[in-house]
Amino acid sequence: MGAGVQSSTLLTLSAEGILPKVDYAIFADTGWEPKAVYAHLDRLEREVAEPAGIPVFRVTSGNIRNDALNPDHRFASMPLYILNKDGRPGMTRRQCTGEYKIKPIKQKVRDLLGYPHPTRVPKGVFVEQWVGISTDEFHRAKDADVKYMRNRHPLLDLGWSRADCIRYLTSLGLAETPKSSCLGCPFHGNAQWRHIRDTSPSEWADVVEFDAAIRQGNARANASGNRLLGEAFLHRSRVPLSEAPIDHVTAAERAARQIAADDASELENGVVDGCSPWACRGDADALTQDDFGLAT
């Protein structure tokens, strides 16, 4: 449960008895979610999960922001935008979802099954894991990569789109369900960057500071002399976030810049499905030379 639109819908449908009651909900905390996500998660737990008798577990592999800036910590890299020394664009490899989302979820699932790592999970012992993927992103539905987890996608079974989920949540007074992703996720669209800047000055200062701090890449790599082959940025324009063109781009400007319609939509709205462990857009995006090299 990322506490975004689709996973909030699944939890609520279960709590309301429209879907069977789940045994548990698991929130993988990267330590750098927007304040609105933590507030929404608190509300879901208090008003939806607890009355229905559904325990919500919060698991973590650490604080992704602090780890990225700590030269003594092995950091799982974000999909940062890179500007090579010769001007070529690229991206670093995305490892963050695996490290900060999938890994702690798997650890908790094994604990709940009674077979914590490194104990072997016996054949035929598994959890049915519900993943919040709606019809507009059905192509992202996939199986888990371990036999003790079997993914199911109830929203697809219901034929529900993201719009259906929003209507349902709105009818229950949960219209303000936020998009679930790290505060400084490079997959944010301009609308999300503007929202942070215009509604939460402290969070905006935080991401601007982080963007400047990662300009030369991973802190541990820099400390060991394995510097990034270029400069790293949070915004796809590959300029400092404080200077990035995040305000609305008109149709004329899009035409002048020759931005395709799909690219323009993603530039403005970001990746629709956020950072679900089994549906993150980054799964298919960047090919790299190594942890700190450039995308090809």
Side-chain angles (χ1 to χ4, degrees), residues 101-122:
K101 292 284 188 178
I102 296 176
K103 180 180 177 180
I105 289 173
K106 285 181 175 178
Q107 289 176 335
K108 188 61 181 179
V109 165
R110 289 177 64 101
D111 290 344
L112 292 172
L113 286 173
Y115 299 96
H117 183 77
T119 307
R120 180 180 176 277
V121 179

Side-chain angles (χ1 to χ4, degrees), residues 1 4 6 21 34 62 72 84 100 103 106 114 121 142 144 156 163-164 170-171 182 205 218 234 236 253 283 287-288:
M1 187 177 70
Q6 283 94 334
K21 181 180 173 182
D72 297 322
N84 198 2
Y100 291 91
K103 180 180 177 180
K106 285 181 175 178
V121 179
K142 60 182 72 174
L156 297 183
D164 292 322
T170 300
S171 73
C182 286
N218 181 285
L234 287 181
R236 66 171 59 199
E253 289 171 327
D283 286 338
L287 298 175
T288 59

Side-chain angles (χ1 to χ4, degrees), residues 38-55:
Y38 290 119
H40 178 68
L41 178 63
D42 289 342
R43 184 183 178 191
L44 283 178
E45 188 168 10
R46 182 178 62 252
E47 299 181 11
V48 178
E50 287 184 0
I54 301 173

